[in-house]
Amino acid sequence: MSTTPIEEARSLLNPSNAPTRYAERSVGPFSLAAIWFAMAIQVAIFIAAGQMTSSFQVWQVIVAIAAGCTIAVILLFFTQSAAIRWGINFTVAARMPFGIRGSLIPITLKALLSLFWFGFQTWLGALALDEITRLLTGFTNLPLWIVIFGAIQVVTTFYGITFIRWMNVFASPVLLAMGVYMVYLMLDGADVSLGEVMSMGGENPGMPFSTAIMIFVGGWIAVVVSIHDIVKECKVDPNASREGQTKADARYATAQWLGMVPASIIFGFIGAASMVLVGEWNPVIAITEVVGGVSIPMAILFQVFVLLATWSTNPAANLLSPAYTLCSTFPRVFTFKTGVIVSAVIGLLMMPWQFAGVLNTFLNLLSSALGPLAGIMISDYFLVRRRRISLHDLYRTKGIYTYWRGVNWVALAVYAVALAVSFLTPDLMFVTGLIAALLLHIPAMRWVAKTFPLFSESENQNEDYLRPIGPVAPADESATANTKEQNQR
């Protein structure tokens, strides 16, 4: 989007991290549901569900998937609100509770976790490519396919959420049809019924069911926390009341549930069934063993299924956010495209596929690390600021989000304490960390408000950023004065 000379003069604002204006938004509820459907058909769920069958029967794994995804959507209702209303990305939103510079710590942690997933999913897609060429020609070269598939996803991400939206609208029905047909082939090939498969597994019980649910929450928590980078493109009524804004948040959350939960259940079932029938959690190998005996062309078709599922997931879920993080944090160094390239290179150099055998342990730790971050951001926007922000101050180094030289040490301390508290409940680390952060942040920010203002008259200019009505007037510096009136509003 174009910016005015005044906007360009602000050191923290560039075309890649500026708020998305109302007229430029292109994602509605149907498109968002399609994006989530395609993102939910991902091999990580396949693997997590398969590895879980040693502790639970298949039907219990399905219940855990549904419960975990529903919890994720409930969190989405809250984490997405600021982005839907104001069109800001995650990196910018994190400045509210943590400060202009203090936000670097949580967003870097989140970016590294997203890049872990980008590298992991790229590896799985490359495995599918390698298996396709092996079946067709006998040629195999996994490192080459990792680089090629990574480059394809980089180019896809260049075109932003608009291209990803159209790709996922196309991919969703194709993936659904192929997934259902694969379930049929698996059951027919093993000569078992759906009910028989549902009762299989659980030979070595021991994992608490609450942990199983948290594992599937953990599978989505990185996207839930940074959902801003997707939903900032969602269409809204600029003149809606606060009640109307809440209804819009609920409408988009419902669309996300309809996209996420059915797809997660279908693909999770495929992973769990593959494990109990074939004894293999790797989808590429499992597909070859299950379908290859029926037809080599069919096996190739389902490897294309894995490839398409990964391609439709990775750019939006795992590469978009780190790219925004780089170009928002270093606006004079990175454009959006260079941010995408650098992010992809880092994700592949991490070689996260080395941790594939302990994926569920990693997912549980991931949910615990990001639970307090979600709690702080929800508490700050809804309970501390009561959904009031100043876009002007989010994009300059001196404003109400500056705190102590750009860092809100109090919010960072709350994050550290909540994270430590979460380890007291190993089976519910995510829930404990989120609730602890949610509760601790409120009194902590009341103490901060004694020194720094939490509200600014500059918020009256928010609409100037979102409507194409000409240059944004400079805000009155006195608007950030520390007055009791501002903090009590």
Side-chain angles (χ1 to χ4, degrees):
M1 62 176 283
S2 61
T3 59
T4 69
I6 293 175
E7 288 175 320
E8 291 174 343
R10 297 192 180 102
S11 60
L12 298 177
L13 181 68
N14 66 20
S16 297
N17 71 4
T20 306
R21 298 191 191 275
Y22 297 128
E24 297 171 334
R25 303 186 187 187
S26 60
V27 176
F30 175 79
S31 297
L32 188 61
I35 290 172
W36 268 102
F37 188 94
M39 286 201 304
I41 300 181
Q42 58 167 300
V43 285
I45 292 178
F46 188 113
I47 296 171
Q51 293 181 354
M52 204 172 287
T53 55
S54 62
S55 298
F56 302 101
Q57 293 181 338
V58 172
W59 74 267
Q60 293 173 307
V61 175
I62 299 304
V63 172
I65 292 173
C69 290
T70 299
I71 292 173
V73 172
I74 292 172
L75 292 175
L76 277 169
F77 173 82
F78 295 101
T79 58
Q80 70 182 356
S81 183
I84 290 176
R85 175 66 180 92
W86 303 111
I88 55 177
N89 63 33
F90 167 69
T91 302
V92 173
R95 293 170 182 170
M96 284 188 277
F98 295 103
I100 297 299
R101 295 186 179 88
S103 61
L104 292 176
I105 295 175
I107 66 176
T108 299
L109 170 64
K110 192 272 158 192
L112 289 174
L113 292 172
S114 292
L115 292 179
F116 176 97
W117 282 120
F118 170 76
F120 189 86
Q121 299 259 40
T122 299
W123 168 70
L124 285 167
L127 277 176
L129 271 172
D130 196 55
E131 186 67 11
I132 291 171
T133 57
R134 185 190 71 80
L135 291 172
L136 288 175
T137 67
F139 173 78
T140 64
N141 192 326
L142 183 58
L144 173 65
W145 293 124
I146 289 175
V147 173
I148 291 176
F149 188 47
I152 291 172
Q153 294 172 94
V154 165
V155 174
T156 300
T157 312
F158 281 168
Y159 294 96
I161 196 64
T162 300
F163 177 79
I164 293 171
R165 172 174 65 91
W166 282 111
M167 182 178 74
N168 288 0
V169 167
F170 164 76
S172 294
V174 175
L175 291 171
L176 175 61
M178 294 179 71
V180 171
Y181 187 53
M182 184 177 175
V183 170
Y184 165 75
L185 287 180
M186 290 177 61
L187 298 179
D188 184 64
D191 194 25
V192 295
S193 67
L194 179 63
E196 290 172 328
V197 172
M198 283 293 190
S199 62
M200 293 180 180
E203 293 82 6
N204 300 300
M207 177 189 293
F209 190 67
S210 58
T211 300
I213 294 174
M214 290 304 106
I215 284 172
F216 290 110
V217 175
W220 287 119
I221 190 62
V223 182
V224 168
V225 170
S226 62
I227 191 62
H228 310 66
D229 300 322
I230 295 176
V231 300
K232 72 189 188 73
E233 305 285 345
C234 286
K235 303 174 190 176
V236 293
D237 179 3
N239 302 313
S241 63
R242 177 164 290 194
E243 180 181 354
Q245 294 168 23
T246 301
K247 289 181 179 179
D249 293 343
R251 185 166 60 252
Y252 281 113
T254 300
Q256 288 164 316
W257 190 93
L258 293 172
M260 180 199 300
V261 176
S264 297
I265 288 175
I266 291 172
F267 212 31
F269 174 79
I270 293 174
S274 295
M275 191 67 180
V276 296
L277 294 176
V278 182
E280 178 57 59
W281 58 261
N282 188 316
V284 174
I285 298 175
I287 288 172
T288 299
E289 292 191 16
V290 171
V291 184
V294 178
S295 167
I296 294 298
M298 191 64 67
I300 293 173
L301 178 63
F302 281 108
Q303 297 298 348
V304 173
F305 168 77
V306 172
L307 187 63
L308 183 59
T310 305
W311 188 17
S312 62
T313 299
N314 234 4
N318 301 316
L319 195 53
L320 203 62
S321 181
Y324 277 129
T325 295
L326 283 177
C327 64
S328 296
T329 305
F330 307 102
R332 300 184 186 279
V333 178
F334 292 100
T335 64
F336 176 68
K337 287 187 176 181
T338 56
V340 171
I341 294 172
V342 172
S343 296
V345 170
I346 294 173
L348 296 182
L349 290 177
M350 291 171 70
M351 294 188 289
W353 45 87
Q354 296 180 357
F355 301 93
V358 290
L359 183 63
N360 282 347
T361 300
F362 177 80
L363 286 175
N364 198 26
L365 292 174
L366 171 63
S367 65
S368 66
L370 293 186
L373 177 56
I376 288 173
M377 295 190 69
I378 291 171
S379 177
D380 192 83
Y381 183 65
F382 281 93
L383 303 177
V384 174
R385 304 184 195 275
R386 298 185 291 279
R387 294 196 280 188
R388 290 175 52 189
I389 72 174
S390 169
L391 291 178
H392 178 84
D393 290 303
L394 284 173
Y395 292 98
R396 60 176 181 168
T397 55
K398 293 183 178 180
I400 65 171
Y401 308 115
T402 302
Y403 304 109
W404 290 274
R405 296 187 178 182
V407 181
N408 185 356
W409 296 104
V410 174
L412 290 174
V414 168
Y415 176 84
V417 171
L419 182 60
V421 169
S422 70
F423 283 90
L424 299 177
T425 56
D427 298 333
L428 290 170
M429 294 174 68
F430 169 80
V431 173
T432 303
L434 183 143
I435 294 176
L438 196 73
L439 297 178
L440 290 173
H441 187 68
I442 299 171
M445 288 303 290
R446 287 176 182 165
W447 184 82
V448 171
K450 296 178 180 179
T451 306
F452 302 102
L454 300 183
F455 306 103
S456 168
E457 292 300 327
S458 298
E459 65 191 58
N460 294 328
Q461 295 182 329
N462 286 350
E463 294 297 330
D464 295 340
Y465 281 81
L466 300 175
R467 300 178 190 268
I469 58 174
V472 179
D476 183 359
E477 295 295 331
S478 64
T480 61
N482 181 23
T483 64
K484 292 183 180 179
E485 290 78 12
Q486 287 173 315
N487 287 296
Q488 294 173 349
R489 287 177 56 184

